Amino acid sequence: MAPKRIAIVGGVAGGAACAARLRRLDEHAEIYMYERSAEISFANCGLPYYLGGVIAERQRLLVATPERFRDWFHVEVRTRHEVQRIDRRARTIEIRNLVTGTASIERYDALVLSPGAQPIRPNLPGIDLPGIFTLRNLDDMDRIEAWIEQRRPGRAVIVGAGYIGLEMAENLARRGLEVAMLEKAPQAMLSMDPEMVAPVYAELRRHGVDLRLGNGVAAFEAAPEDRLTVVAEGGERLTAGVVILALGVRPDVRLARDAGLEIGAAGGIRVDDQMRTSDPAIWAVGDAVETRDVVTGQWTVVPLAGPAARQARVAADAICGRDTKYRGTQGTAVVGVFGLTLALTGASEKTLRARAIPYEKSYTHSPHHAGYYPGAEMIGLKLLFSPDSGRILGAQAVGRSGVERRIDVLAALLQKGGTVYDLEEAELCYAPQYGSAKDSVNIAGFVAGNILRGDVALAHWDQWHQRRQRQEPPLVIDVRTAGEAAAGAVPGAVNIPLGELRARLGELPRDRELWVHCGVGQRSYYASRILRQHGFSVRNLSGGMRTFQLLPAPQDGPNAS
């Protein structure tokens, strides 16, 4: 039999990983990779850090060169070549050499699409003025670097506060620029729930970043001395020497759509669990595809490098006849903002609510290593789980150290269908400088297990806000010390320190439900157990004052500090 001829459109995490895997599985296949840029495999997640000077050498962003793919994997790599059309009937592709302008036709037995995604560039007045950039590849990075070096802009305006926006804010500030951020939504990091992102606002402002939530961009105008005026939807006019558009990405599906392949409702190329498109000879991987969400079962587009690399392996295995399946995507991700880390896995509360999926939630705050060992930093962790089975549905965490490690543990358990009871039993590393005998993950499991076993009934601070707005505030008992309560208290709360609670039970009404809280939820759990066993109706306010402080009152608006 003649060797199989495989064509791959696009490199980076999806296409390059697929090509390497194909060669490991089939030494005789003819493998061709076409990439419209000059590089086939680069670390696009590292681009902001090169611009900030953290990564000093551009060369370090090159994961693999065309020469390495030719020498190591015998893959024919053609950079600066764009695949412009697919003829599915003839199983051919039309390719244009972007350097010479010449076109050619090549056949394939199997075709892999890894076109990635395109940055969103809205059709706004002045959008094409010089100095307005997106950041998606090395060419974009080089243009931004050249602009900053040549023009020496004193101020940058970043439009969008997602992953790239936050990373660019940090790195441009590190480079010495003044930074302002505009975000149309009422929160940054829309993949997370709003209260879990709240700590990042103070962190940004502490480093001089002018963050403006709930305020998008309306237009751009030229200003004197090669500057730009960014006109916000709220009417403000911000002067900038450089503008970074960080509004997210859209799957690049032009080639697939023109070929008549199925495009899903989420805007990506629809694939099955072997990454095969609606054409049995064509596969697709990476940022351009739609896959099933592990938790909700819905079709979703998740532009992350990790899923792209795994999809590439599945596609290669399927092309080579192996029985393989892609299990779906759960969106595990992390971002660093100055000294703060935010991480997540699985579904958010917003998603579960929108999909009408039953859930319970809990908040815990615990140190990333033993509290008695110097340098312990608190991790705020939100856990979402099924109220029936205890199955883990999602988790989000924020803190300065150890955040990503905890989310990795939770992501692995979520992937295997784990429950909160598994978190209770999780056996994790412990030494005082690394963790605690009862790790943050265990604590989250203990709290959730207590809820499901009926040992404690929870209340949440958003419910407290709602009751207060309706002029039906619950009776809140603050079981912290008098000194703690004096330093900052919930409006209307009655302070009865935990150590005095048993002696003061007679002061509490038995015809009203009591909501108890402390600093992080531990002492109030003890209090709720005391009160329940003395016949009181009681709920524990999850996460205590730390969680209360994450949630601004509704009238405060999104920019409350």
Side-chain angles (χ1 to χ4, degrees):
M1 292 180 62
K4 184 179 294 185
R5 188 181 181 95
I6 305 168
I8 300 172
V9 180
V12 198
C18 188
R21 176 70 171 171
L22 282 165
R23 176 57 74 217
R24 294 195 296 272
L25 297 179
D26 187 345
E27 178 62 20
H28 305 290
E30 297 177 2
I31 305 173
Y32 294 81
M33 188 175 355
Y34 303 93
E35 169 57 49
R36 57 192 165 202
S37 71
E39 306 294 344
I40 58 159
S41 185
F42 62 91
N44 53 1
C45 295
L47 303 183
Y49 298 96
Y50 174 81
L51 290 170
V54 178
I55 299 171
E57 300 173 8
R58 186 183 187 278
Q59 190 71 17
R60 296 185 66 84
L61 295 171
L62 304 180
V63 178
T65 62
E67 293 75 22
R68 177 181 293 181
F69 264 81
R70 293 189 185 104
D71 295 344
W72 288 17
F73 302 114
H74 193 49
V75 171
E76 182 63 31
V77 176
R78 296 179 182 175
T79 57
R80 297 296 189 192
H81 282 65
E82 184 174 23
V83 176
Q84 297 192 315
R85 193 173 72 87
I86 302 169
D87 185 334
R88 292 167 53 194
R89 185 183 297 274
R91 291 197 179 181
T92 60
I93 51 177
E94 180 182 320
I95 307 141
R96 180 167 297 278
N97 184 320
L98 299 178
V99 177
T100 66
T102 58
S104 60
I105 303 292
E106 301 287 349
R107 70 170 186 87
Y108 65 83
D109 297 308
L111 176 63
V112 180
L113 302 180
S114 180
Q118 291 296 321
I120 295 172
R121 196 176 180 98
N123 186 20
L124 294 173
I127 190 70
D128 294 322
L129 286 169
I132 301 174
F133 301 93
T134 58
L135 179 62
R136 186 63 179 170
N137 54 38
L138 288 169
D139 291 341
D140 295 335
M141 182 191 77
D142 291 340
R143 283 189 286 267
I144 296 170
E145 172 69 11
W147 183 272
I148 293 174
E149 281 295 308
Q150 294 166 13
R151 306 299 178 99
R152 301 291 178 183
R155 192 183 201 211
V157 172
I158 298 171
V159 183
Y163 294 99
I164 296 297
L166 292 172
E167 290 172 349
M168 283 300 295
E170 176 182 357
N171 281 285
L172 292 180
R174 179 183 287 119
R175 191 158 178 162
L177 277 71
E178 293 181 20
V179 178
M181 298 186 76
L182 292 175
E183 170 55 60
K184 186 180 182 71
Q187 70 163 93
M189 286 285 291
L190 288 175
S191 55
M192 297 183 72
D193 290 321
E195 72 277 16
M196 298 306 295
V197 188
V200 82
Y201 306 150
E203 189 72 13
L204 287 168
R205 291 173 177 134
R206 192 167 71 86
H207 286 85
V209 176
D210 178 11
L211 174 65
R212 305 185 184 203
L213 297 172
N215 199 359
V217 63
F220 302 95
E221 299 173 356
E225 299 180 359
D226 292 331
R227 296 298 190 254
L228 293 157
T229 297
V230 181
V231 183
E233 290 178 339
E236 301 95 328
R237 300 173 67 83
L238 308 176
T239 300
V242 63
V243 173
I244 306 296
L245 300 176
L247 295 165
V249 296
R250 291 193 183 99
D252 187 350
V253 298
R254 180 198 59 79
L255 191 63
R257 180 183 285 117
D258 291 350
L261 298 178
E262 182 181 1
I263 307 299
I269 304 169
R270 184 65 62 85
V271 294
D272 64 13
D273 58 8
Q274 289 194 317
M275 308 311 298
R276 189 182 277 106
T277 70
S278 53
D279 185 315
I282 302 177
W283 285 256
V285 301
D287 295 356
V289 306
E290 283 187 17
T291 58
R292 292 285 189 182
D293 184 282
V294 168
V295 175
T296 68
Q298 303 291 319
W299 290 102
T300 185
V301 174
V302 181
L304 293 172
R310 291 191 296 278
Q311 292 163 10
R313 289 177 63 90
V314 170
D317 286 3
I319 290 169
C320 293
R322 294 197 171 190
D323 184 14
T324 182
K325 288 184 178 181
Y326 183 68
R327 62 175 182 81
T329 304
Q330 63 194 63
T332 305
V334 63
V335 63
V337 186
F338 296 103
L340 208 60
T341 300
L342 298 90
L344 69 154
T345 190
S348 66
E349 183 177 4
K350 292 181 296 186
T351 297
L352 294 172
R353 189 184 299 126
R355 303 292 187 192
I357 297 174
Y359 69 93
E360 181 56 273
K361 64 180 177 180
S362 65
Y363 298 91
T364 53
H365 304 272
S366 48
H368 86 286
H369 62 50
Y372 62 81
Y373 189 88
E377 297 281 359
M378 296 296 284
I379 296 174
L381 196 156
K382 179 178 184 177
L383 183 65
L384 297 149
F385 52 96
S386 167
D388 298 322
S389 65
R391 177 192 168 208
I392 301 165
L393 302 176
Q396 300 164 46
V398 58
R400 296 189 176 278
S401 296
V403 171
E404 70 289 345
R405 172 188 152 192
R406 273 64 185 197
I407 290 297
D408 281 342
V409 172
L410 288 157
L413 284 167
L414 188 155
Q415 176 181 340
K416 303 302 293 183
T419 69
V420 300
Y421 309 115
D422 295 316
L423 299 183
E424 292 180 309
E425 296 294 329
E427 186 174 333
L428 306 175
C429 291
Y430 165 54
Q433 68 270 45
Y434 297 112
S436 300
K438 290 186 288 188
D439 189 83
S440 300
V441 168
N442 301 129
I443 297 294
F446 296 150
V447 170
N450 287 339
I451 297 166
L452 296 184
R453 294 186 184 98
D455 293 337
V456 64
L458 282 194
H460 296 286
W461 290 108
D462 52 358
Q463 297 170 327
W464 178 83
H465 281 303
Q466 293 162 9
R467 291 273 298 268
R468 195 158 174 253
Q469 283 186 307
R470 295 198 306 264
Q471 314 245 325
E472 301 169 355
L475 179 56
V476 176
I477 308 300
D478 180 350
V479 299
R480 296 176 300 159
T481 66
E484 289 175 288
V490 173
V494 176
N495 179 225
I496 302 179
L498 177 62
E500 302 175 14
L501 185 60
R502 290 182 180 86
R504 297 175 62 179
L505 293 177
E507 300 175 25
L508 301 175
R510 293 184 177 272
D511 59 348
R512 290 183 65 182
E513 186 175 68
L514 309 178
W515 289 17
V516 296
H517 84 84
C518 61
V520 299
Q522 184 180 38
R523 284 173 289 175
S524 55
Y525 167 62
Y526 301 154
S528 69
R529 293 300 300 157
I530 293 169
L531 292 168
R532 173 173 288 194
Q533 293 177 76
H534 281 277
F536 290 90
S537 175
V538 58
R539 291 182 176 272
N540 187 12
L541 278 156
S542 184
M545 281 295 289
R546 277 186 179 266
T547 299
F548 174 77
Q549 291 161 351
L550 297 178
L551 287 162
Q555 65 269 22
D556 290 343
N559 287 300
S561 62

